[in-house]
Amino acid sequence: MPSLTRDEARQRAQLITVDRMEVDLDLDRGAEHFGSTTRITFSCNEPGAATFLDLRPVSCERIELNGTPIDPATITDGRLPLADLRAENTVEVVATMAYSHDGQGLHRSHDPADGEDYVYGHLFLDAAPTVFACFDQPDLKAPYSVTVRAPETWVVVGNGRATRADDNLWRLSETLPLATYFVTVCAGPYVSLHDSHDGIELGIHARRSLQGELERHAPQMFEVTKQSFDHFHSTFDVRYPFGDYDQVFVPEFNAGAMENPGCVTFRDQMLFRGAATREQVLQRSNTISHEMAHMWFGDLVTMRWWDDLWLNESFAEFMAYTATSTATEFTDSWVEFGIARKQWGYAAERAPSTHPVAGSPAPDAHSALENFDGISYAKGASVLRQLVAHVGKDAFDAGVTAYLRSHAHGNGELAEFLAAMEQASGRDLGDWSRAWLETAGVDVLAVDRDGTLTRTTPSQYPADRVHTLDVAGFTDGAQVFRTDVVLEGPSAQVGLDAAAAVVVPNAGDLTWAQVDLDETTRGNLARELPMIEDPVARGVLWGAVLTGTYRGTVDPRFALDVAAEAWAGESDDALLSRVALALTDRIVPTFLAEGEVTPARARLAEAAAGVLDRVEPGSARALVAARVLAATTTDETVLRGWLDGRDLPVGLDGDTDFRWLVVHALARLGLADDALIEAAEASDRTLTGRLGGLTARAARPGTPDKEWAWRELTTNRDRSNYELNALATGFWSSGSVETLRPYAARYVDDIPHLAQWVGADALDRVAALAFPSRVVEPETVELVRAAMARPDVTAGVRRSMGDELSKLEEALASRARWA
């Protein structure tokens, strides 16, 4: 299916204006198909000209343009030609559409817990034509009037307030102008809770089988929602414009959430079934705030074309962490940003696919997704943080307000945003934009003991980036100095106490840069880290160890030594969990030789057991430690005891999700037979339980189990997007390199083939999860590079392959240097 090009979109936008969209959906036709009737009124400024409509139906029953029938056979590659346009036009399309099972379009999912089906729309980036006929590009916004016919027991939620008639027909109030990719309908036997705040009606909705979790978590989610509204109303000085505000937790969602105006959708794993750490609640709170920020940046003002998608995401990311850190209980949210989001972004910067934050060309819609990564989110947010430091908060807020007001209900782009900032601040931002937004690459900062702060810029992406940061030193946990610096060249002298046990460049984590630690700091790090009271500085130090390992400047055994000694003393659960995740999921299994993996995991298990013994039972730290211990221990007695409910850590009695962690651990060790897995599934007949069983079966290390899992992953067309993810995750979590090696060749042959029935959004994720990361050999590099050059590999899969290959090459380089 060809992707809409920027030139085609520009030409169509110059030719037509969409005045109104009327969409009628019939969801009462069974589990496979639904009815879709669309009436579009639009004007044309060149009567007699031609354009095309976007439409991808199963079948088309009727098409009329200005009352004249059009043969549905003229639809080619999802495009319906419209010729001889008038000044004012109406096109009507009656079609049958197919539900999806890959998280795109109108997704339908079956919940085995109650035997019910649930539907939600996810039309990003170009899935709208699989739901209704449209001119599918972000700058042809229009008001929507939507009706939905649904089964009698279903409820409907959408962009407008839904009201139900006696004949099971739901009418959604007409919306303000929306881009096509923001339109959504959620329908099914959802359960709902309601509240209101500042004149805005609030709703939170979930599957019926998650009613208990919804009721347990809703008070906290409503609180964050209200706090975020207050913060954004104050900051933007523009009221939320889209009426009611519903938040729907939906099954099998590919992304974390989607900012549909008035009807935000979230992956329903965020309604935690068992115990949750403070970091998990913070992440959910931040996502709530992030999607709300989009109501202004993205929804009220939408990018003109997809190459400015970064501005939506960078802004929402920055504003969300600003809101949670200032308006909610999570005043330390920037700590999680530094160790989680920035690490994601730094990895994207190190990959061959690195790109500027802004200005990356997107000649067609699909190519925009190739640059939709940690750079768009984490680096963009960090750069906006630097912009605030550069122009001042008052000027920044004034510029944002001016931009929103001048482009409300329309579209904008980078140049217009910068113009508003320049007007508000009185400063020329051309050089700043070229260095920070329009040039790829991440600098490396280091401080010598003589006080020389140096900036090393990647040679392939030279840029003169001005860094606003601080440098701090600590001894026995106490801060002995902190110096603010504006680094305008390759180096600067910084006043410091050379006797400090630990010196931390970018100690406040204010700028976007990887950090190298001096030799004295590295020598003292394991002892000093747990004593430092400042969690942001600790996060920078932990991050320096992790990124240094990935870059090859730090021996992975040093990272393991620091973790073995200092990790147990870490008091922030975000740092505790993220450092452990980096070690257990990447550093230990790929940077260490195969013979070192088991003893390394044993050291991590010992550290986790030590935390459990020392911290408050039932605390967030105890929960993190229990999870790490379950993932790393080889003690069958402990695992089987936990599986049977004996000697469980406090707070985990009856925690089904933790029980699945234990089942997966036993599976990886080859200790979970069919009866054990079937018993676990029988006690958890939910979507999550079904996925847990798939992961466990794929995680067993035996050759027959791997063969079954790979066959299910690559040939079973009935598998949903989440089922594919579960199989891929389990597959590479166990097994010897000898057993796994043949699947490197099968990966490059089989995974691209899935594009025949798996949507791009879902497949890109599968291609990353199924990558042969455990086969850390030059031959794997050769296989993947050859596959990436093949014409049958989609751009998204090629990007996933390339990013994962970059990580494998980092592991190879580390082994070559430190083995």
Side-chain angles (χ1 to χ4, degrees), residues 477-488:
Q479 179 176 302
V480 295
F481 74 88
R482 187 177 291 260
T483 305
D484 294 330
V485 187
V486 178
L487 181 61
E488 297 183 316

Side-chain angles (χ1 to χ4, degrees), residues 157 190-194 203-207 214 246-249:
V157 184
Y190 287 98
V191 292
S192 306
L193 295 174
H194 294 94
I204 303 180
H205 317 264
R207 286 180 286 133
L214 177 65
D246 289 295
Q247 298 174 94
V248 189
F249 289 81

Side-chain angles (χ1 to χ4, degrees), residues 210-532:
L210 290 173
Q211 182 171 356
E213 288 78 3
L214 177 65
E215 292 173 348
R216 180 157 54 94
H217 292 288
Q220 191 274 337
M221 293 190 292
F222 275 131
E223 179 182 35
V224 169
T225 299
K226 296 172 185 180
Q227 292 167 330
S228 297
F229 265 126
D230 290 343
H231 177 81
F232 293 139
H233 282 154
S234 173
T235 300
F236 297 143
D237 198 22
V238 175
R239 275 195 62 82
Y240 167 72
F242 294 110
D244 296 352
Y245 195 75
D246 289 295
Q247 298 174 94
V248 189
F249 289 81
V250 299
E252 299 180 328
F253 200 65
N254 284 326
M258 179 64 198
E259 66 269 20
N260 314 301
C263 185
V264 180
T265 44
F266 298 80
R267 59 169 55 200
D268 60 14
Q269 292 99 318
M270 292 184 185
L271 291 177
F272 312 115
R273 302 194 308 166
T277 65
R278 184 175 183 275
E279 182 209 8
Q280 288 176 289
V281 180
L282 161 60
Q283 287 178 305
R284 183 181 66 198
S285 301
N286 189 75
T287 303
I288 289 171
S289 192
H290 176 111
E291 302 309 322
M292 187 186 293
H294 274 306
M295 298 299 129
W296 288 266
F297 245 90
D299 297 2
L300 179 64
V301 181
T302 308
M303 72 233 154
R304 191 161 284 117
W305 181 244
W306 298 109
D307 45 14
D308 273 323
L309 183 60
W310 75 272
L311 187 53
N312 291 3
E313 298 304 341
S314 297
F315 218 91
E317 185 92 337
F318 169 73
M319 291 307 307
Y321 279 97
T322 301
T324 51
S325 65
T326 58
T328 77
E329 65 180 287
F330 301 105
T331 55
D332 58 346
S333 62
W334 286 110
V335 177
E336 189 268 346
F337 177 79
I339 198 62
R341 307 298 280 182
K342 290 182 82 169
Q343 288 295 314
W344 174 39
Y346 290 148
E349 284 273 52
R350 295 192 304 271
S353 57
T354 186
H355 56 87
V357 174
S360 298
D364 58 57
H366 283 172
S367 65
L369 285 177
E370 297 179 43
N371 292 328
F372 196 52
D373 54 20
I375 294 172
S376 308
Y377 286 79
K379 182 178 182 179
S382 298
V383 168
L384 290 174
R385 252 186 133 181
Q386 283 290 291
L387 180 58
V388 172
H390 190 63
V391 303
K393 184 179 183 302
D394 290 344
F396 179 84
D397 289 348
V400 169
T401 299
Y403 176 74
L404 292 173
R405 288 179 173 173
S406 62
H407 293 79
H409 305 298
N411 301 81
E413 56 190 27
L414 172 62
E416 294 162 328
F417 172 72
L418 288 177
M421 284 294 160
E422 289 179 334
Q423 178 69 28
S425 66
R427 304 184 67 166
D428 186 317
L429 295 176
D431 289 342
W432 181 89
S433 176
R434 280 185 289 275
W436 277 111
L437 295 177
E438 300 165 50
T439 305
V442 56
D443 296 341
V444 177
L445 301 179
V447 179
D448 292 337
R449 287 289 164 151
D450 64 1
T452 303
L453 172 65
T454 58
R455 180 197 71 194
T456 304
T457 299
S459 58
Q460 65 271 44
Y461 303 110
D464 188 17
R465 284 179 275 265
V466 176
H467 292 268
T468 301
L469 70 148
D470 56 1
V471 179
F474 302 86
T475 299
D476 296 330
Q479 179 176 302
V480 295
F481 74 88
R482 187 177 291 260
T483 305
D484 294 330
V485 187
V486 178
L487 181 61
E488 297 183 316
S491 65
Q493 287 302 121
V494 178
L496 57 76
D497 183 345
V502 169
V503 174
V504 191
N506 194 28
D509 207 16
L510 295 175
T511 194
W512 179 258
Q514 296 177 129
V515 167
D516 277 345
L517 303 176
D518 68 272
E519 185 176 352
T520 301
T521 295
R522 290 197 301 271
N524 294 327
L525 192 58
R527 182 181 65 86
E528 290 283 333
L529 242 177
M531 295 188 288
I532 297 173

